[in-house]
Amino acid sequence: MAFSNSHVMTSSRLVETIQINFEDFSESFLTCGTCLNLFDAGEHQPKLLPCSHTLCRSCLQRIMQGPGPGRQAESFRCPICREGIAVPHGGGAAAFPPSFVVNQLLDLMASQRRDLVPKCSIHSGRELLFCETCDTVFCPACLSHQAKADHTVLSFSVAVKRMTEILLYKATLAASQLGSAYEAVCREVETLDANAEACMQSVDQAFQQLRDLVDRRHSTVRETVKRVKEEKRRALKEQLELIGQEKARVESECEGLQYQMDVMAITKKISDLNAKLDTFAGLSEPRENAYMEFSRDSSASGVANANVVDDECLRSVEAALQRCGKVRVSTTHPGLCSVQLLSGADAATAGLRCSALLHTVDYHGRRRRDGDDPVSARLETPGGEQLEIGVVDKGDGSYELNFLPLSAGRHRLDVRVFGRPVRDCPLALDVAGRQRPAAKAGGAGRGSQPGQLQAPYAVAVGRNGEVYISDTGNSRIVVLDSTLRWLGDLGRSACTGQSATGLAVDAGGRLWVANWRQRRVFEVEPVEDRISSSLQSAAFREPGLVAVGPRGHVIVGDAGAGAVFVCDPTLTEADGAVLARIDGLSGLTALAVGCHDSAASAVQREPQMLLCCAVGAKLLVYEIGAGQGSEAESAIGIRHSLTGSACGSSAVTGLALDSDGRLLASRATGDVEVHSRPLGEFLCRVVPDEAEKLRRPGGVASLGQGWLAVVDAQGHAVKKFRYV
């Protein structure tokens, strides 16, 4: 829109044309500064104040309204400049003069935008309104739309302006995103060029090495030809020299024979020449042959099939060259790939190893069936520390990500392929500081009823996954399934006197129960619930721990005698050979370690045994059956403590080994440590939730598939936790 401002001059007329944006002009000059509505000829009629500011009639009526109903203030302050304004007597807001300039501008603007802002077809002077809540355009005079009090109603022109601004914002945002996309694709093109150049250099380097090998082999074969030629030539030259010497000697001896008259001398010469003729027959045949021919296959012998051998050699070389070098490419589209936690989003616990699975797909969303993608992953801790994640290529288009969060809080898992983030990455991962048990038995109070335990001491797992608990306070063995559901009880005859503590299961599925008060170790048949046999020894004092060795021997820990005994289960009156003298024994377990003969036959001998004994915070490991005993000692929990605090020096209260040789050690602090092997590296720590804290943990056992069961003597319960 153009306004003309004419200035009369002495000799000419200057016409100045100003370009004004309609929306900016309306907002600056044709909008009430108080309610921000456009001036019109009705409710928002522009009124000129003595201070030269313009307000709409509706705002003036509201400002002039007195403290009581129906009353009107005699004066007010301009909301724009704060100048005092006296209200005209008897007229109210209508008594203020109209703003002539604004009305003129409204008429001018109306004439210019008559086609832009539609009017009501019935009430031509009324501007349409727009209800944002109902998304409806209506005329207030027609009452075709009943706007509710909580609805947002705007003039149509303001609504158009707002929607135009939203449209412009969205368009700007779309343009920005397209610009970012363009830059990303450009970077990918640059990376492609750089990778292709690096690939070309690698190709050139690899084939240059092949050419160097060929050149070296070429030089070696040529040198061989030269060497063999010289050797053969030397032998033939020596033969030629010998022939020449003999010929000269014969010619020298034959000179003057035609003048020789002595028959005897001639006869002797003839005899000598006859002898030499026999010798010269050997000189007539070359001592070395001149045969020399190149064969492409160094292992080939004979010349009958030389052409066939050469063809096969060329084909083998060609095949080897075909296998030499490969340009690796991938159709993976990182933006469509997904990451999934293997154990669920709520399974991440500080101190426990977690796993996630990356599924790769192509641009069309089809799952990849092969691997070899360059996958990288990092875990960002709440403190901003970046932890590397192990990536295992499963070869089927999926990748396993293994990581160990060390602290509680929100972590961020960032997974990238080709350096580009996969879908929804970085992922927010909430890591719990403590773990709630997946299942538990007992804990409802002391008692002998089903579902109740009293001071349980040890736990063992049978061949079929059943869980046995030495319920010491109730003088029985409780049987649970792998989910710790109650199955029954047994072994009351072996658990008399509330003194049955140690518990173990042998390879045949039979239970061995150590009763320290009776100084015996009972063999219990769980199916028939009867005592099959018992072990006793004069050396027993308080046999409270029991384990079964790899060769079926029963290992008995006796804190009263301060010793560990090995017993033959076939003898009821055991000699109880002392394996070790140990004071303060609190845990016991044993495992087999296969050893091989150093001879070439590698015949496996009797398996040796590692005996693990807990004494306070220390773990003593004895090697049994290897021909000589050796003792190693380590304070577990001190050098492997996650926090490095003094809690690592607390006593070990239970030991167990899983099928992979990992050592489980329950601690008096109420947690369970997991080590890769006896005296091996620390893997993780199971820390129960505060509400499920182990108040006095005892025996521990592996349930398989990364689960363990640990008893709580003071809490009268057994609980199941995940440790892998």
Side-chain angles (χ1 to χ4, degrees):
M1 175 177 294
F3 294 96
S4 297
N5 184 14
S6 302
H7 302 275
V8 179
M9 305 184 68
T10 56
S11 60
S12 64
R13 182 176 179 178
L14 176 64
V15 178
E16 182 181 356
T17 301
I18 305 174
Q19 297 293 333
I20 300 178
N21 181 273
F22 169 75
E23 297 295 341
D24 293 340
F25 183 78
S26 298
E27 183 175 353
S28 302
F29 299 99
L30 304 181
T31 303
C32 177
T34 304
C35 65
L36 302 180
N37 284 309
L38 285 175
F39 293 121
D40 56 24
E43 183 179 353
H44 299 287
Q45 180 182 6
K47 292 294 184 177
L48 182 63
L49 302 181
C51 62
S52 300
H53 288 116
T54 303
L55 297 179
C56 71
R57 188 176 67 180
S58 175
C59 290
L60 276 176
Q61 290 174 346
R62 179 172 50 81
I63 293 172
M64 293 187 305
Q65 187 175 11
R71 299 186 62 181
Q72 181 174 291
E74 296 180 355
S75 65
F76 65 94
R77 291 187 177 275
C78 174
I80 299 175
C81 66
R82 308 304 297 171
E83 181 179 335
I85 306 295
V87 178
H89 295 287
F96 284 95
S99 177
F100 176 76
V101 175
V102 173
N103 284 329
Q104 289 292 97
L105 290 175
L106 284 174
D107 293 340
L108 179 61
M109 297 296 290
S111 63
Q112 296 293 329
R113 63 189 182 101
R114 186 173 295 111
D115 296 332
L116 299 177
V117 180
K119 301 289 184 177
C120 177
S121 60
I122 300 175
H123 307 89
S124 59
R126 300 303 297 268
E127 185 176 351
L128 297 178
L129 300 180
F130 176 74
C131 179
E132 284 189 338
T133 308
C134 301
D135 194 22
T136 303
V137 178
F138 65 97
C139 173
C142 293
L143 299 178
S144 59
H145 179 80
Q146 296 296 330
K148 297 181 181 179
D150 57 343
H151 286 202
T152 302
V153 178
L154 305 172
S155 66
F156 187 79
S157 58
V158 174
V160 170
K161 180 181 178 181
R162 286 192 179 184
M163 287 187 286
T164 302
E165 290 175 350
I166 294 174
L167 177 62
L168 291 175
Y169 170 76
K170 293 293 185 180
T172 303
L173 182 62
S176 175
Q177 291 182 351
L178 289 174
S180 299
Y182 183 84
E183 293 176 358
V185 174
C186 288
R187 286 195 300 269
E188 196 71 15
V189 171
E190 294 175 357
T191 304
L192 174 62
D193 293 339
N195 289 344
E197 182 63 26
C199 189
M200 291 293 290
Q201 293 178 0
S202 299
V203 170
D204 293 342
Q205 182 179 3
F207 280 89
Q208 182 59 47
Q209 292 175 350
L210 290 178
R211 284 191 288 268
D212 293 341
L213 290 175
V214 172
D215 291 342
R216 284 199 295 271
R217 182 59 181 167
H218 180 210
S219 300
T220 300
V221 175
R222 283 181 60 87
E223 291 298 326
T224 302
V225 172
K226 291 180 180 179
R227 177 179 54 78
V228 173
K229 170 193 169 184
E230 292 300 325
E231 291 175 355
K232 288 179 173 288
R233 188 180 183 88
R234 187 182 307 112
L236 293 175
K237 283 290 188 180
E238 291 175 355
Q239 186 176 1
L240 287 176
E241 291 178 0
L242 181 59
I243 292 174
Q245 293 173 1
E246 293 295 331
K247 180 179 179 183
R249 186 180 298 112
V250 170
E251 290 177 349
S252 173
E253 291 176 355
C254 292
E255 288 181 358
L257 287 179
Q258 62 271 27
Y259 305 109
Q260 181 64 259
M261 301 301 295
D262 187 353
V263 176
M264 295 298 294
I266 294 173
T267 303
K268 185 177 182 305
K269 290 289 184 181
I270 293 173
S271 176
D272 293 341
L273 287 175
N274 286 333
K276 289 184 176 182
L277 286 175
D278 294 337
T279 304
F280 295 161
L283 294 176
S284 63
E285 181 71 21
R287 295 179 179 178
E288 186 58 84
N289 60 73
Y291 174 75
M292 185 180 296
E293 184 177 340
F294 173 70
S295 175
R296 292 186 175 91
D297 190 350
S298 61
S299 62
S301 59
V303 296
N305 58 346
N307 293 332
V308 176
V309 170
D310 287 349
D311 292 341
E312 292 179 353
C313 181
L314 285 176
R315 284 194 295 269
S316 64
V317 171
E318 182 180 7
L321 288 175
Q322 291 292 337
R323 294 191 301 270
C324 181
K326 176 184 178 182
V327 180
R328 291 172 52 191
V329 295
S330 175
T331 60
T332 298
H333 190 70
L336 298 179
C337 301
S338 60
V339 178
Q340 177 187 9
L341 286 176
L342 293 182
S343 300
D346 58 344
T349 305
L352 288 184
R353 294 190 178 274
C354 298
S355 297
L357 197 63
L358 168 65
H359 297 283
T360 57
V361 297
D362 61 13
Y363 179 77
H364 302 286
R366 294 188 295 262
R367 182 172 176 178
R368 295 285 312 282
R369 298 298 178 184
D370 53 3
D372 290 338
D373 284 337
V375 177
S376 61
R378 292 186 303 176
L379 184 68
E380 182 180 345
T381 66
E385 182 183 1
Q386 300 288 335
L387 303 179
E388 292 296 329
I389 294 179
V391 180
V392 179
D393 187 350
K394 301 178 73 68
D396 58 356
S398 62
Y399 301 81
E400 186 175 331
L401 314 174
N402 300 305
F403 53 96
L404 177 64
L406 301 180
S407 59
R410 172 153 292 189
H411 291 60
R412 291 162 62 88
L413 179 61
D414 187 21
V415 183
R416 295 174 178 265
V417 182
F418 318 128
R420 291 156 53 186
V422 303
R423 187 177 66 192
D424 298 332
C425 275
L427 293 172
L429 178 64
D430 291 323
V431 178
R434 296 173 178 266
Q435 183 182 171
R436 295 189 63 83
K440 71 175 182 178
R446 303 174 61 171
S448 59
Q449 300 301 317
Q452 292 183 330
L453 300 173
Q454 185 170 336
Y457 189 87
V459 56
V461 180
R463 292 189 304 174
N464 298 321
E466 62 273 23
V467 181
Y468 299 103
I469 308 295
S470 59
D471 189 6
T472 305
N474 290 318
S475 300
R476 64 182 178 181
I477 297 173
V478 171
V479 186
L480 309 172
D481 65 7
S482 59
T483 62
L484 303 189
R485 289 185 300 180
W486 194 278
L487 297 180
D489 60 73
L490 53 85
R492 292 181 179 271
S493 57
C495 301
T496 58
Q498 295 183 334
S499 55
T501 53
L503 191 62
V505 180
D506 63 15
R510 293 176 294 274
L511 291 173
W512 290 91
V513 183
N515 191 314
W516 62 268
R517 197 183 299 274
Q518 296 191 31
R519 299 184 181 182
R520 300 173 71 180
V521 178
F522 294 95
E523 180 187 14
V524 177
E525 175 58 52
V527 177
E528 301 176 4
D529 189 11
R530 63 179 179 84
I531 296 176
S532 301
S533 63
S534 65
L535 298 175
Q536 56 185 346
S537 172
F540 289 169
R541 294 293 180 268
E542 295 180 2
L545 298 174
V546 63
V548 178
R551 284 172 284 180
H553 290 97
V554 178
I555 314 298
V556 180
D558 192 326
V564 176
F565 302 92
V566 58
C567 303
D568 187 347
T570 61
L571 302 176
T572 58
E573 189 67 32
D575 293 335
V578 177
L579 289 179
R581 292 289 181 183
I582 303 174
D583 291 326
L585 186 66
S586 60
L588 183 70
T589 188
L591 76 158
V593 179
C595 58
H596 291 76
D597 202 317
S598 59
S601 61
V603 177
Q604 189 170 9
R605 303 184 309 201
E606 284 284 333
Q608 68 189 53
M609 178 178 67
L610 289 184
L611 178 65
C612 305
C613 306
V615 181
K618 295 182 179 181
L619 176 67
L620 302 179
V621 179
Y622 294 88
E623 188 179 61
I624 309 299
Q628 58 181 359
S630 60
E631 179 179 328
E633 182 175 325
S634 170
I636 60 173
I638 295 178
R639 68 187 164 127
H640 297 307
S641 175
L642 282 178
T643 61
S645 63
C647 68
S649 60
S650 63
V652 177
T653 56
L655 290 175
L657 289 154
D658 67 8
S659 58
D660 295 322
R662 288 184 286 254
L663 177 70
L664 312 179
S666 57
R667 302 282 298 279
T669 49
D671 54 20
V672 180
E673 286 186 351
V674 182
H675 296 254
S676 61
R677 59 189 182 281
L679 299 181
E681 64 176 342
F682 173 83
L683 294 180
C684 64
R685 185 191 310 276
V686 177
V687 182
D689 185 82
E690 189 65 29
E692 298 290 347
K693 182 179 180 180
L694 301 173
R695 289 185 281 177
R696 198 175 77 193
V700 62
S702 172
L703 302 178
Q705 298 181 348
W707 295 94
L708 63 82
V710 57
V711 298
D712 184 358
Q714 187 173 344
H716 310 291
V718 57
K719 301 178 181 181
K720 178 180 179 180
F721 296 96
R722 184 174 65 89
Y723 70 94
V724 175

